[in-house]
Amino acid sequence: MIRPTRRADTDADFTRRRLAQLAVLGLAAGASPAALPGTASAAVPSSVKAPSAGRPHYDRARRLATDDPVLRALVTALTPGSVLPPLPAPAPAPVKLFDNLVLLSAGWVSAMAVLTDDGIVLIDALTSPADAEGVVVPGLRAVGADPAAIRHVVVTHGHPDHFGGAQTLADRYGARVHMSPADWDLLARTRPADAPVRDLDIADGAQLTLGGTTIELHHTPGHTPGTVSPVIPVRAGGRYHSAMLWGGLNPPSTVAELRTLLASVHSFRAVMRRTNVEVELSNHPNDHGLERAEQLRHQPPGAANPFLLGGPRTQRYMAVMDAMVRGRIADAEAAEEAGAEAGTGARGARTVAAPHA
């Protein structure tokens, strides 16, 4: 478990409409179309037929998930071609998931605010300056926190739905913006609108300490070259628990990139064991997260926190992810092999046809 530490000194417009269009096309930066709408209780549609190469892995993931709504949601989000119902409107109101952790949601993408004695660490900054002004700032005020206390913005990866409001918060409150070097480089190459000015690099395994709270930041590349997944100490009724937030779920397409993602799953799973992670969080509604947030909002005091899964269940979450990524790898390898065979056949056909030309 990560425990609170002694106080130490530490260091133009990508609109919602455009993001929604990209999500429909399957090009959205943060999650696949399956992950974006996200009701985790929905089973994988029977009409979705996983490619035969990956099917044994997908079937294993479903067996691991059993009837657990959080794990079934993960299977659904990672199943090729699955489609979920649309999100309810409007976006959820801010809610404290734990005494020191606030969910700030724009609906299909969310940020997390870690409240400390010396200020706020914001994990992701939603899609745009408008989200910073219209979701993050009033959302913090709604739970009794001062947005002027934002000291750090940790961007999990270099896609617009996660960094969009970062520069606005940096300009207004003097917050420092953190991102992995690989994803700072990604922004330098792609030059997207609303990208933050390069500030602080996140080293693999870095510890960010503020107000006696230490957050670990781990490189988990795959979704992007420099995706970062935090481990956060969260507090409930005087007890601390370790929480994980997987930085980017939507898998890449090539075999090499998928193998990088699988290696990240393995390395982060080991981190989770070491830190005794018991809480699972996501920046997209691909984990029954919005439903759990509403459950938490309305349940009586003293009821079990739906985000506190316990160690074995969070490890099973990663085992499900492992199996689903292995299925994606098998599919990609089969597709590459089929493409190579088709190319060989085409070359052979041209060779035979040449004498008749």
Side-chain angles (χ1 to χ4, degrees), residues 14 51 66 78 102 150 169 177 223 231 242 257 267 305 332:
F14 200 90
T66 62
L78 289 173
V102 181
I150 298 174
L169 298 170
V177 180
H223 180 65
V231 176
S242 291
E257 292 170 321
S267 64
N305 189 312

Side-chain angles (χ1 to χ4, degrees), residues 6-101:
R6 293 183 180 179
R7 182 174 303 181
D9 294 330
T10 62
D11 294 318
D13 191 40
F14 200 90
T15 66
R16 292 177 195 263
R17 178 176 300 174
R18 178 59 177 151
L19 286 167
Q21 292 168 345
L22 292 175
V24 171
L25 292 170
L27 299 174
S32 67
L36 292 174
T39 59
S41 58
V44 177
S46 60
S47 60
V48 174
K49 301 298 183 183
S52 58
R55 187 183 298 278
H57 301 286
Y58 301 142
D59 288 345
R60 178 174 181 271
R62 293 187 183 97
R63 290 193 298 271
L64 285 168
T66 62
D67 61 352
D68 187 315
V70 177
L71 305 187
R72 284 168 65 89
L74 182 62
V75 172
T76 304
L78 289 173
T79 297
S82 61
V83 178
L84 297 178
L87 286 169
V95 59
K96 279 191 172 184
L97 303 184
F98 292 87
D99 295 345
N100 65 328
L101 186 73

Side-chain angles (χ1 to χ4, degrees), residues 80 108 273 324 341:
W108 63 273
R273 289 193 190 98
M324 293 303 295
E341 290 176 354

Side-chain angles (χ1 to χ4, degrees), residues 121-143:
V121 178
L122 188 68
I123 311 293
D124 285 339
L126 303 180
T127 71
S128 64
D131 273 353
E133 299 278 3
V135 178
V136 174
V137 170
L140 288 171
R141 288 176 177 152
V143 297

Side-chain angles (χ1 to χ4, degrees), residues 215-261:
I215 301 169
E216 288 190 8
L217 303 170
H218 297 274
H219 289 187
T220 52
H223 180 65
T224 65
T227 299
V228 168
S229 296
V231 176
I232 308 163
V234 295
R235 186 178 69 250
R239 295 190 61 186
Y240 278 86
H241 306 276
S242 291
M244 62 78 98
L245 190 155
W246 185 253
L249 185 65
N250 189 30
S253 57
T254 70
V255 172
E257 292 170 321
L258 284 163
R259 290 197 177 280
T260 295
L261 178 61

